[in-house]
């Protein structure tokens, strides 16, 4: 007898209801339609939703993420990098740090090693972009701190030997690049990814080791390494990637006792796709699956870093890096999780007070930036990318393209981002609440297998069953794929929003926790007779938003119409990419929500409502704002509750300023110029005269 599915009871708190009870796992959805929170307020976090959707464990298609299969060992080649403890081979923790002329880099290394439970297991690679004649060397500075401040006493095995002048210095690798050759944070992280790949080829990195990437101005809690690994294990997913914008060092003690963490789940569009409107998550019992990856912290098994490396062909990129990396992780089968606890912290205040932190933009090249944007847009199918479908497909299948475990169409459905139209949402809602895991077929060679590419970065592995590029059983499928790609045009049909809201489409996805509509996904290729047809990763049929639409041979209706995108992606080739304030500290210890205008370049607000404009000239990190509540807005702002507020992004550049500010600046310049002329003329006519006071 089949058991009838029972819907989960998921609580919801509107803004008028106040905060969820203290200690209740909750996710903040938004405060109004501008944040795409149709059901504004808070929703209860229910871990069961990840595997079974609204029916939880009673769902007939209940399925949880993949775990490590028995027999998939570490497989190290270099005996020097094998650590055996109590007869068991241990995983190393490889840390990639991008640093641009950062005087806090030595302190970051000092914090990581002296506060680690197992510092002997750490391997740190620093991409150091310094001016050697001016800037302090990160490794030398670390050794000086060891002498000055001591060695710490947090090592479980007391690995800081007394006879070593600079303990663990042999575990730190410095990749030097002159500051004048720097081309932005994505370029730097691309070099770090290439280093990790080379370490893998040399047998120094195992796919089963842990890998972490972060910034060069960080602090950590005691035993952060062990706690981070335990947190990753608690996700229950071999393909988990923990990622977020980490909390500020001033919040290290959980000062408001709410166990709040930043939660990334939204984007906006600038010259590319940009992470936007950081939400808040409270008292989570475990990591929470989400839609967006953040460059400030990424923690996973190393097979994730090796399969979805940072694209090194994207110099001068800030906007566009994070969601493209999220897309590449996700299509390779990886899932982004919001960490439910903070163990790594960002020193926002000191790092942003560094006057040289944004000077990497001096090497800005408009043509290189334009090519980088074009490349990233092509990868995720947003307007402005390659229009030739065959060429776009070749780029997506290349080494730094998309993965083959899930399709781009599935990504659009999962995230809710209407990428082909350049819209933030496919149905007017965000996907910041409970999300269901999207199944995929693991690679036949196992999780540790790293796909191979030739010298031109083209794949050498033939697509097999389970790959989204697989097109048949009797041939390699190359011809079939090309024929299908040629049938596609670059712009999809508009989304049928009415069918979504009315739930007319039986397969339509609705992640509102009160909805009964649920997706029963089938990710296997369609079969028409003896021929298997590839589920096309390029196709996004707006009329079936909740389903994975396959291309059926000889279908009557065209897949795409030539429709202009709803929101144009800005083409600003001569604009230096701007970082921005990711989230804010409200002074009461709560995490503020970043609110941005999704269409305009800046937010036009009255000066009296914002005590101090926030400078956004930042290179490799985000700006949390100055100490305490200097950026706290007045009560006139829309607020979610006492613990959430708006933090406005103000782009640098004269054209981004509000009209009244620009007018004032122009008048001031005219006045100063007139004063200068007057002084010159007046000084000449009165030359030699003496005056008495």
């Amino acid at each position: 007898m089949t058991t009838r599915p029972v819907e989960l009871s998921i609580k919801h708190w509107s803004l008028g209801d106040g905060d969820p009870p203290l200690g209740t796992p909750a996710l903040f959805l938004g405060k109004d339609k501008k944040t795409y929170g149709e059901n504004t307020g808070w929703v209860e976090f229910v871990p069961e939703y990840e595997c079974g959707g609204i029916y939880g464990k009673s769902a007939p298609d209940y399925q949880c993420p993949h775990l490590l299969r028995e027999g998939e060992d570490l497989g190290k080649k270099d005996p020097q990098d094998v650590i055996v403890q109590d007869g068991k081979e241990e995983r190393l923790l490889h840390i990639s740090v991008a640093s641009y002329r950062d005087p806090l880099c030595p302190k970051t290394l000092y914090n990581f090693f002296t506060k680690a439970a197992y510092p002997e297991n750490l391997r740190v690679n620093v991409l150091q972009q310094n001016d050697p004649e001016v800037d302090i060397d990160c490794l030398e500075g670390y050794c000086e701190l060891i002498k000055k401040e001591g060695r710490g006493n947090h090592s479980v095995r007391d690995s800081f030997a007394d006879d070593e002048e600079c303990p663990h210095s042999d575990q730190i690798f410095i990749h030097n690049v002159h500051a004048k050759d720097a081309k932005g944070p994505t370029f730097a992280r691309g070099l770090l990814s290439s280093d990790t790949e080379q370490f893998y080829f040399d047998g120094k990195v195992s796919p089963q080791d842990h890998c972490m990437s972060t910034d060069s101005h960080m602090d950590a809690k005691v035993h952060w390494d062990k706690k981070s690994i335990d947190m990753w294990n608690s996700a229950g997913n071999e393909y988990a990637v923990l990622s977020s914008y980490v909390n500020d060092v001033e919040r290290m003690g959980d000062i408001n006792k709410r166990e709040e963490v930043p939660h990334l789940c939204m984007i906006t569009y600038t010259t590319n796709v940009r992470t936007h409107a950081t939400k808040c998550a409270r008292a989570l019992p475990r990591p929470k699956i989400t839609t967006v990856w953040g460059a400030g912290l990424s923690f996973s098994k190393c097979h994730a870093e090796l399969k979805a490396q940072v694209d090194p062909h994207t110099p001068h990129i800030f906007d566009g890096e994070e969601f493209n990396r999220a897309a590449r992780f996700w299509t390779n089968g990886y899932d982004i999780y919001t960490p439910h606890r903070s163990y790594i912290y960002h020193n926002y205040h000191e790092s942003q007070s560094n006057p040289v932190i944004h000077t990497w933009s001096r090497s800005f090249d408009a043509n290189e930036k334009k090519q980088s944007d074009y490349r990233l847009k092509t990868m995720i199918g947003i307007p402005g990318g390659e229009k030739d479908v065959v060429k776009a497909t070749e780029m997506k299948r290349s080494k730094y393209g998309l993965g083959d475990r899930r399709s781009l169409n599935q990504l659009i459905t999962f995230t809710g981002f209407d990428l082909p139209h350049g819209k933030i949402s496919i149905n007017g809602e965000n996907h910041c609440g409970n999300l269901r895991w999207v199944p995929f077929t693991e690679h036949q060679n196992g999780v540790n297998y790293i796909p191979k590419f030739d010298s031109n970065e083209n794949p050498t592995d033939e697509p097999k069953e389970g790959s989204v590029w697989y097109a048949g059983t009797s041939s390699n499928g190359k011809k079939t794929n090309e024929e299908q790609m040629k049938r596609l045009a670059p712009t999809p049909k508009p989304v049928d929003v009415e069918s979504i809201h009315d739930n007319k489409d039986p397969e339509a996805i609705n992640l509102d926790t009160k909805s009964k509509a649920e997706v029963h996904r089938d990710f296997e290729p369609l079969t028409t007779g003896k021929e298997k047809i590839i589920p096309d990763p390029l196709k996004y049929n707006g009329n079936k938003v909740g389903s994975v639409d396959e291309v059926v041979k000889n279908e009557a209706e065209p897949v795409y119409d030539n429709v202009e995108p709803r929101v144009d992606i800005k083409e600003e080739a001569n604009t230096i990419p701007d970082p921005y304030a990711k989230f804010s500290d409200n002074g009461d210890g709560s995490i503020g929500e970043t609110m941005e205008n999704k269409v305009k370049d800046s937010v036009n607000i009255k000066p009296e409502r914002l005590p101090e404009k926030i400078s956004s000239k930042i290179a490799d990190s985000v700006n949390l704002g100055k100490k305490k509540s200097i950026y706290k807005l007045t009560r006139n702002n829309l607020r979610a509750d006492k613990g959430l507020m708006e933090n406005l992004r103000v782009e640098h550049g004269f054209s981004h300023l509000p009209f009244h500010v620009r007018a004032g600046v122009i008048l001031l310049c005219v006045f100063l110029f007139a004063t200068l002329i007057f002084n010159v003329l007046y000084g000449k006519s009165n030359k030699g005269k003496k005056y008495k006071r």
Side-chain angles (χ1 to χ4, degrees):
M1 182 177 179
T2 305
T3 305
R4 184 182 181 86
V6 179
E7 284 193 28
L8 296 171
S9 176
I10 302 178
K11 298 177 183 178
H12 183 272
W13 297 268
S14 64
L15 295 180
D17 296 335
D19 285 4
L22 193 65
T24 301
L27 307 164
F28 185 68
L29 299 178
K31 60 185 65 175
D32 52 34
K33 291 186 178 180
K34 291 182 179 179
T35 60
Y36 293 84
E38 291 291 329
N39 298 302
T40 56
W42 297 81
V43 65
E44 182 183 10
F45 171 60
V46 180
E48 292 180 30
Y49 197 102
E50 183 177 317
C51 299
I54 195 66
Y55 298 111
K57 293 182 179 179
S58 68
D61 56 349
Y62 184 84
Q63 187 176 359
C64 289
H66 300 288
L67 300 175
L68 183 64
R69 292 183 291 194
E70 187 176 351
E72 293 178 317
D73 57 13
L74 296 177
K76 285 193 178 67
K77 301 175 184 177
D78 192 334
Q80 294 182 350
D81 282 304
V82 176
I83 294 180
V84 178
Q85 185 69 24
D86 299 328
K88 181 181 179 182
E89 187 177 344
E90 292 190 344
R91 290 179 171 86
L92 300 179
L93 172 51
H94 302 271
I95 307 170
S96 296
V97 177
S99 175
Y100 179 80
R101 305 193 65 185
D102 193 349
L104 297 178
C105 183
K107 185 66 173 178
T108 298
L109 295 183
Y110 181 82
N111 292 334
F112 284 164
F113 278 98
T114 60
K115 295 184 179 182
Y118 303 104
E120 65 275 11
N121 286 0
L122 305 185
R123 301 291 184 272
V124 183
N125 183 21
V126 180
L127 197 283
Q128 180 170 257
Q129 302 162 103
N130 275 1
D131 181 345
E133 297 181 0
V134 178
D135 304 316
I136 184 172
D137 181 81
C138 194
L139 178 56
E140 292 176 3
Y142 162 76
C143 293
E144 289 298 322
L145 284 173
I146 289 289
K147 296 176 183 177
K148 180 180 177 181
E149 300 188 15
R151 306 183 178 207
N153 57 353
H154 303 299
S155 172
V156 172
R157 298 167 185 159
D158 194 22
S159 66
F160 281 85
D162 294 334
D163 57 347
E164 292 185 29
E165 183 177 351
C166 187
H168 304 294
S169 59
D170 59 339
Q171 298 166 220
I172 301 171
F173 175 75
I174 304 294
H175 182 160
N176 284 303
V177 174
H178 199 284
K180 64 181 178 61
D181 297 320
K183 295 185 178 183
T186 309
F187 176 77
R189 280 187 274 269
L191 294 178
L192 287 168
S193 277
S194 297
D195 286 343
T196 301
E197 181 182 45
Q198 188 59 53
F199 296 153
Y200 165 69
F201 290 147
D202 295 341
K204 296 181 180 297
V205 171
S206 164
Q208 281 297 310
D209 285 340
H210 290 101
C211 277
M212 181 178 87
S213 64
T214 189
D215 294 330
S216 57
H217 24 262
M218 315 301 284
D219 203 345
K221 284 187 174 179
V222 172
H223 291 179
W224 64 271
D225 54 334
K226 181 181 183 303
K227 292 175 180 177
S228 295
I229 292 172
D230 290 343
M231 179 166 59
W232 183 89
N233 287 330
S234 70
N237 185 347
E238 177 65 17
Y239 294 82
V241 179
L242 306 180
S243 184
S244 187
Y245 296 152
V246 298
N247 274 320
D248 184 69
V249 291
E250 294 179 357
R251 297 178 54 84
M252 192 176 290
D254 190 25
I255 55 179
N256 63 6
K257 307 302 180 185
R258 296 173 183 169
E259 295 178 325
E260 290 183 339
V261 293
H263 176 41
L264 307 183
C265 55
M266 288 188 66
I267 62 167
T268 189
Y269 296 93
T270 57
T271 55
N272 217 296
V273 179
R274 183 176 191 158
T275 305
H276 163 74
T278 303
K279 305 294 186 190
C280 173
R282 289 182 179 173
L284 303 183
R286 47 159 290 179
K288 189 264 178 195
I289 199 167
T290 190
T291 57
V292 180
W293 178 86
L297 176 68
S298 183
F299 191 100
S300 64
K301 288 284 187 68
C302 289
H303 52 72
E305 287 290 327
L306 292 167
K307 293 178 192 175
Q309 298 178 41
V310 178
D311 189 346
H313 308 305
T314 52
H316 313 294
I317 284 293
F318 190 91
D319 289 5
E321 173 196 7
E322 292 176 321
F323 186 72
N324 269 270
R325 189 91 192 278
R328 294 176 56 236
F329 272 130
W330 200 84
T331 54
N332 273 287
Y334 294 94
D335 298 289
I336 313 301
Y337 284 81
T338 293
H340 69 294
R341 294 292 180 272
S342 294
Y343 302 125
I344 303 294
Y345 293 82
H346 197 297
N347 192 335
Y348 289 96
H349 181 65
E350 285 191 63
S351 64
Q352 306 323 314
S353 64
N354 180 4
V356 301
I357 197 169
H358 63 275
T359 56
W360 63 268
S361 59
R362 292 175 180 173
S363 64
F364 181 72
D365 184 297
N367 290 327
E368 288 185 345
K369 171 64 163 56
K370 186 175 181 179
Q371 286 299 312
S372 296
D373 278 324
Y374 152 80
R375 181 177 176 86
L376 294 180
K377 290 173 182 178
T378 300
M379 294 300 181
I380 59 174
I382 66 175
E386 176 58 57
K387 295 181 180 180
D388 185 286
V389 179
V390 174
K391 291 181 179 178
T393 303
E394 291 176 353
M395 192 179 297
K396 292 169 191 277
R397 294 192 63 186
S398 66
K399 181 175 181 178
Y400 302 103
L402 301 179
D404 70 341
R405 298 296 100 186
R406 294 171 174 142
S407 71
L408 186 58
N409 188 44
Q410 290 174 282
L411 176 67
I412 293 170
T413 301
F414 174 73
T415 62
F417 305 143
D418 191 352
L419 301 175
H421 288 108
K423 294 179 64 181
I424 294 175
S425 174
I426 59 176
N427 59 2
E429 298 180 1
N430 67 47
H431 288 194
C432 295
N434 292 287
L435 292 178
R436 188 173 184 182
W437 176 71
V438 178
F440 67 92
T441 303
E442 287 191 281
H443 196 282
Q444 66 272 18
N445 293 338
V447 68
N448 292 333
Y449 178 74
I450 310 301
K452 296 178 174 59
F453 299 86
D454 62 22
S455 59
N456 294 319
E457 300 179 357
N458 295 314
T460 59
D461 295 336
E462 182 179 320
K464 299 289 181 64
E465 203 163 354
S467 167
V468 298
W469 302 110
Y470 178 68
T473 56
S474 58
S475 67
N476 61 14
K478 181 178 180 181
K479 182 178 180 180
T480 307
N481 277 335
E482 289 181 353
E483 289 175 350
Q484 291 191 79
M485 296 306 106
K486 289 178 180 178
R487 294 171 54 226
L488 306 180
T491 310
K493 293 180 180 179
V495 180
D496 186 355
V497 178
E498 293 298 324
S499 67
I500 300 170
H501 289 305
D502 298 338
N503 287 329
K504 294 177 182 177
D505 186 343
E507 294 183 314
I509 187 167
N510 188 338
L511 295 180
D512 174 5
T513 55
K514 294 184 178 181
S515 172
K516 295 182 180 180
E518 195 56 38
V519 182
H520 299 285
R521 304 177 181 88
D522 179 9
F523 300 108
E524 294 300 320
L526 289 182
T527 302
T528 55
K530 296 182 180 180
E531 182 181 2
K532 291 188 177 181
I533 306 300
I534 177 176
D536 181 17
L538 293 177
K539 179 183 175 185
Y540 169 55
N541 187 336
N543 292 326
K544 298 194 74 177
V545 172
S547 62
V548 179
D549 300 311
E550 279 80 15
V551 177
V552 181
K553 197 171 184 179
N554 299 322
E555 62 181 358
E557 293 293 328
V559 178
Y560 291 90
D561 293 329
N562 292 323
V563 182
E564 291 298 320
R566 306 287 180 84
V567 178
D568 292 332
I569 308 300
K570 304 184 188 72
E571 293 288 352
E572 299 179 16
N574 295 317
T575 302
I576 297 175
D578 290 340
Y580 54 100
K582 304 288 188 182
F583 54 90
S584 61
D585 187 349
N586 292 336
D588 60 356
S590 61
I591 296 174
E593 180 184 0
T594 302
M595 302 293 297
E596 299 183 71
N597 188 311
K598 66 179 183 296
V599 178
K600 297 182 180 179
D601 289 330
S602 61
V603 181
N604 189 359
I605 83 169
K606 296 180 180 180
E608 63 268 21
R609 289 182 60 190
L610 185 60
E612 181 175 347
K613 300 279 184 178
I614 306 173
S615 172
S616 62
K617 293 185 177 181
I618 307 166
D620 193 22
S621 55
V622 297
N623 186 359
L624 183 61
K626 293 187 177 180
K627 294 182 178 179
K628 299 184 179 178
S629 57
I630 191 168
Y631 295 127
K632 190 168 183 180
L633 307 183
T634 65
R635 294 183 179 179
N636 293 328
N637 288 297
L638 292 174
R639 302 185 64 182
D641 71 321
K642 296 179 181 179
L644 293 169
M645 58 166 265
E646 297 182 353
N647 184 13
L648 302 174
R649 173 175 65 90
V650 182
E651 302 252 16
H652 71 273
F654 186 73
S655 63
H656 290 80
L657 295 174
F659 174 77
H660 63 277
V661 176
R662 282 182 283 151
V665 171
I666 293 172
L667 289 174
L668 179 61
C669 291
V670 171
F671 173 76
L672 292 175
F673 181 74
T675 302
L676 177 63
I677 298 299
F678 175 80
N679 287 337
V680 171
L681 296 177
Y682 183 79
K684 287 182 178 180
S685 62
N686 293 281
K687 188 174 182 180
K689 292 184 179 181
K690 296 183 179 180
Y691 295 91
K692 293 183 179 179
R693 186 173 179 179

